[in-house]
Amino acid sequence: MTTLDLTGDVVELTRTICDIPSVSGDEKALADAVENALRTLPHLEVLRDGDAVVARTSLGRPTRVVLAGHLDTVPIADNLPTVLDGDLLRGRGTVDMKAGVAVMLKLALLEAPRHDLTFVFYDHEEVAAKLNGLGRLVRNHPEWLAGDFAILGEPSDGTVEGGCQGTMRVKITVPGVAAHSARSWKGSNAIHSAGAVLDILRAYVPREPVVDGLRYHEGLNAVKIEGGIAGNVIPDLCTVFVNHRFAPDRDVPAAEAHLREVFAGFEVEVVDAAPGARPGLDKPAAKEFVELVGREPQAKLGWTDVSRFAGLGIPAVNFGPGDPLQAHTDGEHVPVPEIRQALHVLLSWLS
């Protein structure tokens, strides 16, 4: 088993945890290493559920901050082990999000932080929501996650990204009438009829609402089309799959109602959905943290697990080293100064 040295350099710690492969479903080795490292710190209570590890201080502070990060990555693309290339650390997981995890592991050394701290390192973030380790903790042990403010270490270029968008996928089924393609006028081509759905999408103007001071940009896009059974058969069915990203001033029912209005007259079925999260930057701990970071906060244009904290009534933000556009790319890399700066900011805030 790889031993994690939490007392050493944060960049070397990042390399070590990146070099332990932990593609979703294969997080056990890294979770074991994280658990063993945290259990050497007597000021922490360490708990585990599957491959999710939770560690908590109990100092009687009036507020508790939750620091969370996922251990898994998308599949490796010949980009491990990591390579230190000048001021860039290259390799799978460097951005999404083991640099953030390394920063949080270093923070676990704090014996007398200003706030009580809860560290959450969890599995299965990069796959189906039903497998998500943080979601499992919410269901099985919500008391482990109790807090007044949460920071998710997702890459944000060192800027506070408040809240997150909600997401919904629907399938729109367009009927037709099957016929031989040599006598196409005897049928009704469902794929052709689906053009009306695409016309709606092309004409759609997404909202850009301001929520708690942050501007979100919504989206409505076709992401997949299915139709047809053979090269000589007029298709009697066409399905258009549509993804809707909606601002956190709408909940899931409101987003669904909106889509049913947009696609009135078509059969609309919700495939999956997840609520967004309001920024919560009006909370005292959030305000203090944003001021210390010293950059204008941005809206999170995407869905992250801050939504799960919002569901527990805990305001949460995204903050971590690395450009989120590097996540999941074959050339994934993080600037070394950003790792050190993220650690410096959080240490300054918590010490």
Side-chain angles (χ1 to χ4, degrees):
M1 180 186 299
T2 302
T3 299
L4 303 182
D5 180 11
L6 303 190
T7 65
D9 180 64
V10 67
V11 177
E12 286 305 310
L13 180 58
T14 301
R15 295 193 70 178
T16 300
I17 63 176
C18 285
D19 289 342
I20 302 174
S22 59
V23 175
S24 304
D26 191 27
E27 299 96 333
K28 184 177 185 304
L30 181 54
D32 288 346
V34 167
E35 179 184 10
N36 288 342
L38 294 172
R39 287 196 183 279
T40 67
L41 305 176
H43 60 282
L44 295 177
E45 174 192 19
V46 180
L47 307 160
R48 183 158 174 172
D49 180 301
D51 288 330
V53 181
V54 176
R56 304 186 295 188
T57 64
S58 297
L59 303 171
R61 302 291 194 252
T63 55
R64 177 174 292 276
V65 172
V66 182
L67 299 156
H70 62 85
L71 300 176
D72 61 321
T73 70
V74 296
I76 297 164
D78 195 28
N79 50 5
L80 282 184
T82 53
V83 175
L84 188 58
D85 179 11
D87 270 347
L88 296 179
L89 180 60
R90 301 183 181 276
R92 175 62 76 225
T94 51
V95 166
D96 192 11
M97 56 165 286
K98 291 182 177 179
V101 168
V103 167
M104 292 176 183
L105 285 170
K106 289 288 293 180
L107 295 172
L109 295 172
L110 289 172
E111 296 183 13
R114 296 173 55 232
H115 309 278
D116 263 312
L117 302 179
T118 298
F119 300 92
V120 184
F121 304 102
Y122 60 99
D123 56 292
H124 284 91
E125 191 269 350
E126 299 288 7
V127 288
K130 65 183 180 181
L131 301 175
N132 186 290
L134 185 59
R136 188 178 65 251
L137 290 175
V138 170
R139 294 189 299 272
N140 295 348
H141 307 286
E143 71 281 4
W144 293 5
L145 304 175
D148 301 286
F149 179 55
I151 297 175
L152 189 66
E154 290 282 1
S156 67
D157 260 344
T159 297
V160 173
E161 292 186 329
C164 72
Q165 292 172 305
T167 181
M168 175 175 290
R169 280 195 309 127
V170 300
K171 65 178 184 179
I172 301 170
T173 302
V174 181
V177 178
H180 195 294
S181 61
R183 297 174 293 278
S184 59
W185 58 91
K186 296 294 186 180
S188 175
N189 194 311
I191 293 178
H192 292 184
S193 297
V197 175
L198 301 183
D199 287 341
I200 291 171
L201 290 168
R202 278 191 289 265
Y204 184 80
V205 178
R207 294 193 310 150
E208 295 186 40
V210 174
V211 183
D212 298 344
L214 302 184
R215 183 175 296 280
Y216 290 82
H217 192 301
E218 296 190 329
L220 187 65
N221 291 279
V223 292
K224 183 180 179 182
I225 296 180
E226 293 179 347
I229 60 172
N232 59 355
V233 178
I234 298 301
D236 63 352
L237 200 68
C238 183
T239 303
V240 183
F241 292 83
V242 174
N243 179 235
H244 180 38
R245 299 295 176 129
F246 54 95
D249 61 339
R250 280 181 172 161
D251 58 14
V252 168
E256 180 181 350
H258 174 63
L259 293 191
R260 293 193 182 280
E261 180 181 358
V262 169
F263 296 107
F266 291 96
E267 180 184 334
V268 177
E269 178 185 345
V270 176
V271 177
D272 61 35
R278 298 185 75 97
L281 298 183
D282 57 334
K283 305 299 180 184
K287 282 184 176 180
E288 182 184 71
F289 181 60
V290 168
E291 288 174 4
L292 183 62
V293 171
R295 295 184 181 182
E296 192 70 24
Q298 304 294 320
K300 181 63 179 178
L301 300 182
W303 188 92
T304 73
D305 279 318
V306 298
S307 174
R308 301 185 191 278
F309 287 109
L312 293 172
I314 304 170
V317 299
N318 306 274
F319 175 80
D323 181 353
L325 296 180
Q326 284 293 321
H328 301 186
T329 65
D330 291 353
E332 184 175 352
H333 62 268
V334 61
V336 165
E338 285 197 20
I339 303 175
R340 300 194 191 284
Q341 178 63 15
L343 178 59
H344 171 72
V345 167
L346 286 164
L347 277 174
S348 298
W349 181 53
L350 295 171
S351 298

